[in-house]
Amino acid sequence: MTWFTLPLLNLLWAAAGTSTWTRSSCSVPPAQQPLVQGIQMLMENSVTSSAHPNPSILIAMNLAGAYDMEAQKLLTDKLMASDSADLTIGQLALTIMALNSSCRDPGNKVSVLQRQMESWPPSGPSAPASNFYGPSLAVLALCQENPTRALPIAARFAKILRFGSSPFNTDTGAMATLALTCMYNKIPEGSDEGFKILFSEVLQEVVKNVSMRIKDNGIIGDIYSTGLAMQALSVTPKQPNKEWKCQKTMDTILQEIEQGKFHNPMSIAQILPSLKGKTYLDVPHVSCSPGVQVQPTLPTQPSPVPTTASNITIVYTINNQLRGVGLLFNETMDISVKSGSVLLVVLEEAQRRNPTFKFETTMTSWGLVVSSINDITESVHERTYWQFLSGKTPLNEGVADYKPADHEHITANFTKY
Ligand code: B12
Ligand SMILES: *[C@@H]1O[C@H](CO)[C@@H](O)[C@H](O)[C@H]1NC(C)=O
Ligand SMILES: *[C@@H]1O[C@H](CO)[C@@H](O)[C@H](O)[C@H]1NC(C)=O
Ligand SMILES: *[C@@H]1O[C@H](CO)[C@@H](O)[C@H](O)[C@H]1NC(C)=O
Ligand SMILES: *[C@@H]1O[C@H](CO)[C@@H](O)[C@H](O)[C@H]1NC(C)=O
Ligand SMILES: *[C@@H]1O[C@H](CO)[C@@H](O)[C@H](O)[C@H]1NC(C)=O
């Protein structure tokens, strides 16, 4: 009998269109609240009048409840004044969401984004449609502003995503889930049933891919994709293929915070909403009545024990084997730096000692990216970049954050994504 009733039940379930599933809920235990307050203050303190305005930080502040109202106002005003023409699709989308979360009208930025997405993906055989992260943000922002106008754009996005997103990336899958969930929930009355089916099918597949990245310790992808993945799994109407224990994820992330793994302000901006039980889908519902948040007084952190200024040696290799982009080379050097130095110091020391190791950086929301080494420069068009590895494992932090250990072998390898 069961062979018959089970599929039937599923069918009824799907037909009812109310296929909800039981989610496990989670929260930060009271004893760990100071950890969360600590990283929020670290993030808010990174907002200065000279720093480039980062919309992700404003979104996180507003979702979490800002402590520093001056920083909040400074960021809002700077983003209000930013010129759409200087921003990528993803940055524009984040700016629109950030302004909305500060209860400010994003003005013509929405129609600029709308127009850019109408001609996405750029035509041409080598045009990279493969980075869906920025376009996911765009669909999410347009969905929140005007779901009816966003509908055809989101449908095209969903169709391209279904066929073109290999290999799977957890951060991108999480952002696409947030975007498609927003659309799925806001399909205008009287629209073709096909839209709901399309969003539902693509969501099912992306959520399956995200849930396959859930590890035994609760981390989803790596520790820096976990915040976005938590947001995705907590809003999706589609049940993940693998059981997700939210509290397990939360506890592991809190341990990582305790270890000091979340000091980069952008990494905090991406984890904080999940720690507060919020997601980017809450952006339009932020209340902007004058806050009653009181800046907590934190117990003074034990200042890091001054490391004995002993030197460590890093084996550093720069490798370009990609043909047709200039000289091929594979050079290795032993570099001595003070123990506790970040990788950037190793690169600077290498450059000082040997001109072949010269490099350039560009500033981004996550900090400095190494854009060029020995005159070989990354290219969005060619989809090339300098990947950093420890041994054979790609680093999960940038050169300004990663601290190599004594005798570690670091390679910068010019490669494609
Ligand atoms: C796409 C992407 C890339 C692309 C960017 C190409 C492009 N032009 O689009 C490529 C493949 C080049 C890339 C490279 C790296 N990336 Co990356 N990347 C992403 C991803 C998935 C989306 C970024 C994005 O489009 N944001 C949206 C736009 C609107 O924001 P934006 O600020 O303008 O985006 C720029 C920055 O994010 C920057 N960027 C991308 N990655 C990194 C990494 C670092 C360390 C820095 C400083 C900047 C940076 O490139 C974007 C485009 O210009 C994020 C995921 C995430 N959660 O943010 C990871 C992410 C930011 N990357 C990460 C890492 C670790 C790297 C590498 C260090 C990997 C490596 N082992 O080499 C390298 C950078 C090495 C270097 N040369 O300095 C981590 C950073 C974690 C951390 N704590 O620092 C993330 C969070 C992924 C993860 N979950 O681990 N990345
Ligand atoms: C923010 O978005 C919501 C939902 O679309 C909208 O109702 C609200 O008016 C927006 N706020 C501002 C200030 O634009
Ligand atoms: C899911 O992952 C598979 C395997 O990496 C990939 O081929 C597929 O395109 C992904 N689908 C989506 C919608 O992310
Ligand atoms: C580059 O040099 C390293 C270290 O000398 C070596 O292990 C590696 O095999 C070389 N790679 C190539 C592609 O020549
Ligand atoms: C330690 O490293 C620095 C570079 O950071 C170098 O100037 C110094 O000579 C090194 N000291 C020793 C004892 O190797
Ligand atoms: C370095 O990049 C080349 C070119 O993309 C690639 O073939 C090679 O596998 C990469 N090496 C490592 C260790 O990732």
Side-chain angles (χ1 to χ4, degrees):
M1 195 54 196
T2 31
W3 61 269
F4 171 67
T5 42
L6 250 176
L8 184 69
L9 261 177
N10 277 336
L11 207 73
L12 288 171
W13 194 243
T18 52
S19 46
T20 48
W21 49 283
T22 348
R23 296 165 213 274
S24 67
S25 64
C26 57
S27 58
V28 176
Q32 265 98 309
Q33 288 294 348
L35 276 179
V36 177
Q37 294 168 347
I39 58 169
Q40 181 173 346
M41 285 170 74
L42 209 58
M43 180 186 81
E44 295 192 5
N45 288 342
S46 75
V47 178
T48 62
S49 51
S50 54
H52 198 71
N54 183 337
S56 301
I57 290 184
L58 186 56
I59 295 172
M61 273 172 102
N62 286 330
L63 287 176
Y67 297 137
D68 184 345
M69 300 318 288
E70 263 170 60
Q72 199 250 20
K73 187 176 184 312
L74 183 71
L75 256 183
T76 305
D77 290 346
K78 276 195 173 188
L79 290 171
M80 261 324 259
S82 65
D83 185 348
S84 307
D86 302 337
L87 305 175
T88 63
I89 283 179
Q91 290 164 344
L92 189 52
L94 285 167
T95 303
I96 289 168
M97 287 190 276
L99 290 174
N100 186 286
S101 75
S102 276
C103 299
R104 299 284 279 270
D105 185 352
N108 78 339
K109 289 186 168 63
V110 180
S111 52
V112 173
L113 181 60
Q114 173 92 24
R115 247 177 286 123
Q116 290 192 5
M117 281 306 284
E118 273 157 6
S119 51
W120 178 86
S123 49
S126 69
S130 80
N131 186 357
F132 286 92
Y133 191 94
S136 298
L137 284 166
V139 169
L140 178 57
L142 293 174
C143 170
Q144 292 181 348
E145 290 293 330
N146 188 338
T148 308
R149 286 184 65 193
L151 193 58
I153 290 170
R156 195 151 44 81
F157 167 82
K159 286 179 193 155
I160 299 170
L161 178 69
R162 177 155 56 177
F163 293 109
S165 62
S166 186
F168 178 75
N169 171 281
T170 309
D171 306 75
T172 306
M175 207 48 92
T177 300
L178 289 168
L180 293 175
T181 299
C182 177
M183 285 308 305
Y184 181 88
N185 292 340
K186 291 192 179 193
I187 294 176
E189 201 90 39
S191 303
D192 191 320
E193 190 61 25
F195 287 115
K196 193 150 202 127
I197 297 171
L198 171 67
F199 295 141
S200 169
E201 284 176 359
V202 180
L203 261 175
Q204 184 85 56
E205 193 183 330
V206 186
V207 169
K208 181 190 82 188
N209 280 356
V210 171
S211 69
M212 282 187 327
R213 299 295 168 98
I214 305 173
K215 300 188 181 139
D216 289 342
N217 64 359
I219 294 300
I220 312 167
D222 70 16
I223 62 171
Y224 300 113
S225 52
T226 298
L228 299 178
M230 287 174 83
Q231 288 194 33
L233 293 180
S234 65
V235 300
T236 170
K238 294 289 148 192
Q239 175 152 21
N241 297 49
K242 202 175 152 184
E243 192 198 357
W244 175 47
K245 298 198 186 80
C246 180
Q247 193 62 46
K248 173 109 215 158
T249 301
M250 188 75 108
D251 292 343
T252 304
I253 283 293
L254 289 167
Q255 279 169 27
E256 299 286 352
I257 293 171
E258 205 159 12
Q259 307 277 309
K261 299 278 177 60
F262 288 82
H263 54 86
N264 181 309
M266 186 62 175
S267 71
I268 301 171
Q270 291 193 351
I271 196 72
L272 195 57
S274 295
L275 298 174
K276 296 280 185 169
K278 293 285 189 337
T279 77
Y280 282 5
L281 298 194
D282 296 315
V283 159
H285 314 297
V286 171
S287 152
C288 298
S289 46
V292 281
Q293 288 280 352
V294 187
Q295 182 136 346
T297 40
L298 290 175
T300 40
Q301 306 286 328
S303 47
V305 190
T307 39
T308 42
S310 64
N311 275 3
I312 55 170
T313 303
I314 312 299
V315 185
Y316 177 45
T317 298
I318 54 173
N319 188 17
N320 171 34
Q321 302 302 323
L322 283 185
R323 286 169 193 284
V325 289
L327 226 53
L328 304 184
F329 53 84
N330 182 19
E331 303 278 339
T332 298
M333 189 161 57
D334 282 358
I335 307 290
S336 177
V337 295
K338 289 208 172 55
S339 102
S341 301
V342 294
L343 184 52
L344 185 61
V345 174
V346 176
L347 268 63
E348 281 163 351
E349 179 63 13
Q351 165 172 264
R352 199 178 63 78
R353 286 180 34 199
N354 182 342
T356 308
F357 284 76
K358 69 172 177 279
F359 71 100
E360 278 159 29
T361 58
T362 45
M363 197 52 167
T364 75
S365 66
W366 279 90
L368 292 177
V369 164
V370 175
S371 47
S372 168
I373 294 178
N374 196 16
D375 293 328
I376 302 289
T377 305
E378 66 173 10
S379 152
V380 176
H381 191 68
E382 306 285 330
R383 302 171 60 195
T384 52
Y385 78 112
W386 281 102
Q387 183 182 52
F388 281 84
L389 306 113
S390 168
K392 298 230 169 316
T393 312
L395 302 185
N396 69 353
E397 286 183 302
V399 293
D401 289 321
Y402 186 76
K403 291 182 180 158
D406 199 10
H407 299 304
E408 193 168 325
H409 187 175
I410 298 286
T411 300
N413 191 40
F414 197 59
T415 192
K416 290 199 156 205
Y417 54 88

